[in-house]
């Protein structure tokens, strides 16, 4: 049986037959959970990293070296040679710390692993989150949380049933420039915020390494919207500080571009928030976009770049006077992992739990519906 159909069976069993849901491979969830020693303050929380692609190799493994409370203890990959090489470079025992997608569930027997970090293609997040929670581990899952609202709900339910934490890796929420911008909006430095513009895009090369899954509908869930547009969406939500109630959207995909046989290229969308803020956003795989601006009667604050891995920039223009806002820069990934580790150590809810990922997916589904129907879609 394929892993995908195994996952479908597991989720069907778990979500349709609640009484049986407490059993995982012969063990009750309580037994699985009690097999894990409670992490204590002072020891570093151990992570299993799943999917050794660009993000993990270039950013996460080096960032984990700079954390206070987190360390890599296991790697999960379909490429044993790559995994063993990386394990030896990052002080992970290649004999006990290297797993593949078939023996992934045996992570449950590794007491050094507290949290599973999932950096697989989007369409695999749900399966590996559910299986990871069933293996008795907390989950840190990359954005977008999943391809659909239904998958997000399955992930939340699986982690709740296993009594494990679920955090979505919205790294910008853990770095100071984003937080300074949020605070300036809450302080209404521009007067009552009325309008948010946010753009997030990049020119996706028509060759590897990005082609294998980003342009595949099943693995990516969609095009630029799920991959990079989600940053513009998430920014409008955290800047507005509330959830949008209506959305309009338009899409364009160049007909002869060989990249786009399955997923869309560009989307523009507008949102209305209950407090009166209007937002205008864009995303694309054909051109760059890395900025937001929040405008009110007295002026605006803006950030460009707002989503890069480093050197984020923030400035304000109030009553015609413009000045930069100097904010300390940190390693986003180190801050994000240490937040998750502290949540595990102190039994706290992460700032960006599964519900946060679900909220983005609800709006994304509304955006696709607005494109399809050419009508304004209300978000429940
Ligand atoms: P990538 O293509 O570089 O890596 C994906 C990994 O998954 C590869 O090692 C690949 O071998 C593995 N994989 C396993 N099964 C696969 C399959 N069936 N098809 C294709 N690959 C398979 O991608 P990436 O850029 O590292 O992105 C991984 C995840 O991280 C995505 O969800 C992406 O949205 C997210 N991401 C987040 C950030 C961020 O700043 N938070 C940045 C980049 C990517």
């Amino acid at each position: 049986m394929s892993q995908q159909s195994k996952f479908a069976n597991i989720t069907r069993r778990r979500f349709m037959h609640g009484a049986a849901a407490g059993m995982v491979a012969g063990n009750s969830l309580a037994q699985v959970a009690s097999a894990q020693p409670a992490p204590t303050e002072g020891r570093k929380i151990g992570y299993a990293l799943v999917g050794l692609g660009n993000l993990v190799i270039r950013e996460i493994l080096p960032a984990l070296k700079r954390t206070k409370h987190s360390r890599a203890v296991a790697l999960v990959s379909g490429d044993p040679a790559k995994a063993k090489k990386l394990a030896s470079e990052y002080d992970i025992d290649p004999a006990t710390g290297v797993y593949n997608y078939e023996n992934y569930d045996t992570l449950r027997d590794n007491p050094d692993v507290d949290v599973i970090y999932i950096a697989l293609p989007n369409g695999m997040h749900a399966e590996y989150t559910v299986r990871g929670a069933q293996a008795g581990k907390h989950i840190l899952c990359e954005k977008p949380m999943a391809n659909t609202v239904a998958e997000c709900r399955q992930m939340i339910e699986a982690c709740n049933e296993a009594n494990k934490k679920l955090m979505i890796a919205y790294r910008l929420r853990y770095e100071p420039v984003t937080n300074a911008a949020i605070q300036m909006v809450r302080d209404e430095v521009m007067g009552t915020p009325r309008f948010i513009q946010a753009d997030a895009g990049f020119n996706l090369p028509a060759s590897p390494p990005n082609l294998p899954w980003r342009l595949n509908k099943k693995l990516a869930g969609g095009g630029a919207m799920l991959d990079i547009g989600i940053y513009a969406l998430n920014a409008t939500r955290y800047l507005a500080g509330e959830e949008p109630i209506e959305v309009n959207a338009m899409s364009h995909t160049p007909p002869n571009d060989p990249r786009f046989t399955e997923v869309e290229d560009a989307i523009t969308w507008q949102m209305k928030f209950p407090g009166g803020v209007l937002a205008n956003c864009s995303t694309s795989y054909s051109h760059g976009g890395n900025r937001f601006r929040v405008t009110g009667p007295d002026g605006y604050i803006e950030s460009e770049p707002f989503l890069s891995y480093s050197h984020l920039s923030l400035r304000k223009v109030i009553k015609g006077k413009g000045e930069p806002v100097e904010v300390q820069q940190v390693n986003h990934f180190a801050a994000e992992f240490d937040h998750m580790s502290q949540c595990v150590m102190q039994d706290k809810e992460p700032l960006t739990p599964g519900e946060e990922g679900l909220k983005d997916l609800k709006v994304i589904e509304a955006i696709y519906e607005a494109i399809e129907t050419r009508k304004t879609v209300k978000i429940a």
Side-chain angles (χ1 to χ4, degrees):
M1 193 190 294
S2 75
Q3 293 301 336
Q4 196 68 37
S5 51
K6 247 194 230 167
F7 163 64
N9 278 350
I10 289 166
T11 49
R12 218 171 292 127
R13 195 177 68 234
R14 292 177 69 77
F15 296 104
M16 291 179 65
H17 305 288
M23 299 300 289
V24 181
N27 293 323
S28 75
L29 288 170
Q31 280 170 330
V32 172
S34 65
Q36 299 296 314
T40 50
E41 288 274 5
R43 103 165 161 83
K44 286 194 169 190
I45 295 297
Y47 285 78
L49 311 181
V50 190
L52 305 181
N54 282 322
L55 182 62
V56 167
I57 294 172
R58 293 186 190 164
E59 306 297 333
I60 304 298
L61 279 164
L64 277 164
K65 288 272 180 208
R66 303 172 61 175
T67 54
K68 275 194 199 148
H69 308 294
S70 319
R71 67 187 180 119
V73 294
L75 301 175
V76 181
S77 169
D79 181 341
K82 175 166 73 172
K84 285 194 171 141
K85 184 170 176 287
L86 284 167
S88 54
E89 279 171 33
Y90 284 94
D91 302 328
I92 299 165
D93 186 344
T96 59
V98 170
Y99 293 77
N100 55 46
Y101 298 113
E102 283 68 48
N103 66 17
Y104 172 74
D105 308 87
T106 65
L107 279 171
R108 77 159 55 85
D109 303 321
N110 186 336
D112 291 338
V113 176
D114 302 290
V115 182
I116 296 176
Y117 166 70
I118 296 165
L120 290 164
N122 310 337
M124 300 171 76
H125 291 183
E127 173 185 349
Y128 282 84
T129 293
V130 171
R131 285 170 61 190
Q134 289 172 354
K137 305 297 179 181
H138 303 287
I139 305 290
L140 173 58
C141 177
E142 264 308 331
K143 49 54 60 181
M145 179 171 173
N147 284 0
T148 64
V149 165
E151 285 180 339
C152 293
R153 292 207 165 108
Q154 289 172 355
M155 294 159 77
I156 291 168
E157 192 157 350
C159 290
N160 284 343
E161 277 188 22
N163 197 22
K164 292 292 150 187
K165 298 190 189 302
L166 171 58
M167 171 170 150
I168 309 307
Y170 287 110
R171 63 182 160 79
L172 295 174
R173 299 298 302 280
Y174 302 98
E175 67 77 35
V177 179
T178 302
N179 283 292
I182 293 171
Q183 193 56 51
M184 288 168 82
V185 180
R186 298 291 173 274
D187 293 343
E188 301 195 346
V189 296
M190 70 295 291
T192 306
R194 288 290 178 216
F195 182 67
I196 302 174
Q197 175 78 38
D199 305 291
F202 67 101
N203 191 7
L204 184 74
S207 63
N210 290 307
L211 273 183
W213 68 267
R214 279 191 164 80
L215 298 174
N216 173 307
K217 177 91 165 95
K218 195 166 165 238
L219 286 172
M225 183 69 231
L226 273 108
D227 191 27
I228 187 84
I230 194 168
Y231 285 96
L233 167 59
N234 200 248
T236 52
R237 290 184 43 251
Y238 58 66
L239 291 166
E242 54 184 4
E243 297 309 309
I245 47 176
E246 282 183 306
V247 61
N248 282 321
M250 270 194 253
S251 173
H252 175 71
T253 302
N256 300 318
D257 189 322
R259 292 175 298 172
F260 303 116
T261 56
E262 297 192 19
V263 301
E264 85 282 348
D265 176 9
I267 294 182
T268 62
W269 73 100
Q270 293 78 43
M271 293 181 287
K272 185 174 188 174
F273 289 80
V277 169
L278 293 176
N280 191 25
C281 305
S282 75
T283 187
S284 173
Y285 266 157
S286 289
H287 59 79
N290 191 347
R291 69 185 80 88
F292 69 68
R293 179 184 282 191
V294 186
T295 306
D298 297 336
Y300 57 87
I301 65 160
E302 65 183 2
S303 180
E304 181 173 12
F306 84 97
L307 68 82
S308 305
Y309 294 157
S310 63
H311 301 94
L312 303 186
S313 171
L314 183 62
R315 77 189 273 266
K316 60 178 178 178
V317 179
I318 306 299
K319 297 191 191 300
K321 185 169 173 278
E323 55 183 301
V325 180
E326 300 297 344
V327 186
Q328 182 204 4
Q329 309 270 338
V330 304
N331 182 297
H332 304 182
F333 300 102
E336 163 187 276
F337 273 74
D338 270 351
H339 177 85
M340 180 65 174
S341 297
Q342 284 178 300
C343 288
V344 170
M345 287 189 289
Q346 298 164 13
D347 193 21
K348 285 188 182 154
E349 179 76 347
L351 177 66
T352 54
E355 287 74 10
E356 176 67 16
L358 169 67
K359 285 174 186 167
D360 272 347
L361 260 297
K362 273 190 183 171
V363 183
I364 289 172
E365 288 194 350
I367 289 168
Y368 283 126
E369 186 185 334
I371 292 167
E372 187 76 23
T373 60
R374 298 175 178 239
K375 290 196 173 129
T376 300
V377 173
K378 288 195 186 304
I379 304 169

